[in-house]
Amino acid sequence: MKKIASILLITMILLLTACAGGKISYVGDSPNVALIIANRGDKGFNDSAVIGMNVSVQDHGTNLTILEHDNNPDNYEKVFLDAAQSYNHVIITSSMMKETIEAHAADYPDVKILMYDGEVDWSKGDLSNVYCVIFRANEVSYLAGYLAAAMSQTSKIGFVGGVKNTNIDDFAVGFEAGAKAKNPDIQVYLEYAGSFNDQEKGKEIAEQMIDGGADIIFSAAGAVNLGVLDVVAANDLKMIGVDTDQYALFMAEGKEDLAKCIITSAMKDIGDLLYGAVDNYTKREVITGESKTIGLAEGGVSLAKNDYYKEIVPQAIQDEIDALEDKIIKGEIEVPTARTPSP
């Protein structure tokens, strides 16, 4: 993240602490924005959104409310209606609420709806007030898989997904392809927790993978990642973080022991995306009725190449990663994806 990264270490703890709890409202100037997330405290996807929006509060005086659905389908309609009936801009994380948007967006034509990390079915009715942003997570996870294979001492690595859906499958497909590109004989364990919240399940899966010889695990599973990290740390092994620079996050919290288990993170530029969305709202430059896909070339995803990465990853491997990234951006490598190609 560009703007957000520049202040991340200074503001992260303050901003997340200030937002602890259920529904938080901020009194400020237009635009009025409701952010709908699963829940806070995942140290990744949702917290990145909260940080980006809080910087927007500081810079734009945004009147912000944060609503949480706790990954419970029974809550999706309620939180959406709460937001749409009170705010003129609604930002929704991921595709978990796709059907809710398709069912109700047309009822609130004056409300601008941004769904990031997912896409509606545009054939489901009048969705002209909706805008979707899709991250090409397969591209950055390809780099993560290549790195894991290059750094593994056992030629066994693992991937932990949350709920099985296209977004998480895209991480898995890219990760396995990247690992096989480096070492065709590497064994890649792929497991799904069936949850984005169950840290105990994360621990269970990580223990099974480590018992099977895996020495590096990439976890893309929301708060489940925290359970994976606990087991990785207990076994003095390494993992790859997701969505935000999780090494930087844990260092900011003073948890160096956990931070130094994270070689790198496969990041989505969530904070800057949402900050930019609110900036567009402020300028009345809002685009709706279409989808946008962003990957390495657009800066929408990236591998965290922080000081720790540069310290522990041999320079030769860093050079290989940089060369791969360049080839993906230029279209010289076509990374497999779990997404259905657009017609």
Side-chain angles (χ1 to χ4, degrees):
M1 293 184 287
K2 305 170 186 70
K3 178 180 179 65
I4 308 305
S6 67
I7 59 174
L8 183 61
L9 294 179
I10 300 173
T11 62
M12 188 173 298
I13 304 303
L14 175 62
L15 295 178
L16 291 177
T17 303
C19 289
K23 177 177 175 180
I24 304 297
S25 295
Y26 298 82
V27 177
D29 298 327
S30 180
N32 298 319
V33 180
L35 172 66
I36 300 176
I37 61 173
N39 41 45
R40 281 158 284 197
D42 68 344
K43 313 296 185 187
F45 190 83
N46 294 291
D47 286 350
S48 294
V50 172
I51 292 167
M53 291 305 298
N54 273 280
V55 176
S56 172
V57 168
Q58 293 179 341
D59 289 1
H60 296 112
T62 308
N63 184 19
L64 172 67
T65 289
I66 300 175
L67 301 170
E68 301 180 10
H69 56 66
D70 199 33
N71 287 313
N72 183 347
D74 292 340
N75 296 333
Y76 293 168
E77 183 174 67
K78 181 181 185 304
V79 295
F80 177 82
L81 295 178
D82 283 350
Q85 290 168 4
S86 303
Y87 288 81
N88 51 19
H89 300 282
V90 177
I91 299 174
I92 300 174
T93 64
S94 191
S95 58
M96 303 292 284
M97 291 178 61
K98 169 180 173 292
E99 289 81 6
T100 304
I101 298 171
E102 292 166 355
H104 295 290
D107 298 333
Y108 301 93
D110 295 330
V111 176
K112 307 303 181 186
I113 301 167
L114 166 63
M115 182 169 75
Y116 67 92
D117 208 26
E119 185 176 26
V120 295
D121 181 344
W122 295 102
S123 70
K124 293 292 186 179
D126 182 7
L127 300 171
S128 57
N129 57 333
V130 178
Y131 184 65
C132 298
V133 177
I134 304 152
F135 295 97
R136 294 197 297 276
N138 59 319
E139 294 181 353
V140 68
S141 61
Y142 184 94
L143 301 180
Y146 189 96
L147 175 63
M151 296 287 287
S152 175
Q153 300 297 309
T154 63
S155 292
K156 296 179 181 180
I157 58 178
F159 171 85
V160 180
V163 174
K164 186 172 176 57
N165 59 37
T166 302
N167 289 338
I168 304 303
D169 288 346
D170 214 34
F171 272 123
V173 168
F175 181 74
E176 185 168 23
K180 296 287 187 180
K182 177 60 179 176
N183 177 3
D185 297 323
I186 197 162
Q187 185 168 353
V188 183
Y189 299 118
L190 299 174
E191 295 288 343
Y192 288 79
S195 167
F196 289 115
N197 297 331
D198 191 346
Q199 295 184 32
E200 291 304 313
K201 186 63 175 179
K203 291 179 181 179
E204 177 187 327
I205 293 173
E207 287 169 351
Q208 291 173 350
M209 288 182 174
I210 291 169
D211 287 346
D215 58 352
I216 297 176
I217 297 174
F218 174 35
S219 188
V224 172
N225 300 341
L226 302 177
V228 174
L229 178 58
D230 283 346
V231 173
V232 167
N235 285 273
D236 196 26
L237 295 173
K238 300 296 183 186
M239 72 176 288
I240 294 172
V242 73
D243 294 329
T244 190
D245 186 343
Q246 294 190 306
Y247 166 82
L249 191 153
F250 283 108
M251 287 297 288
E253 292 185 342
K255 298 177 180 178
E256 184 176 353
D257 56 332
L258 295 178
K260 289 196 169 182
C261 293
I262 302 171
I263 304 171
T264 186
S265 295
M267 301 189 298
K268 296 177 179 177
D269 196 8
I270 297 165
D272 257 11
L273 169 68
L274 299 192
Y275 181 92
V278 175
D279 193 48
N280 288 339
Y281 296 160
T282 304
K283 296 173 182 176
R284 305 296 190 267
E285 298 175 352
V286 182
I287 299 172
T288 56
E290 63 184 54
S291 298
K292 180 180 181 180
T293 302
I294 55 177
L296 290 172
E298 298 83 5
V301 298
S302 60
L303 205 63
K305 299 175 183 178
N306 51 44
D307 288 343
Y308 187 57
Y309 168 89
K310 294 174 182 176
E311 174 188 333
I312 68 167
V313 177
Q315 187 61 53
I317 297 175
Q318 292 186 46
D319 292 343
E320 290 176 26
I321 294 290
D322 290 346
L324 283 175
E325 183 174 354
D326 186 59
K327 287 180 179 180
I328 293 171
I329 290 172
K330 291 178 178 178
E332 296 173 9
I333 293 177
E334 184 175 349
V335 180
T337 178
R339 299 191 183 280
T340 302
S342 300

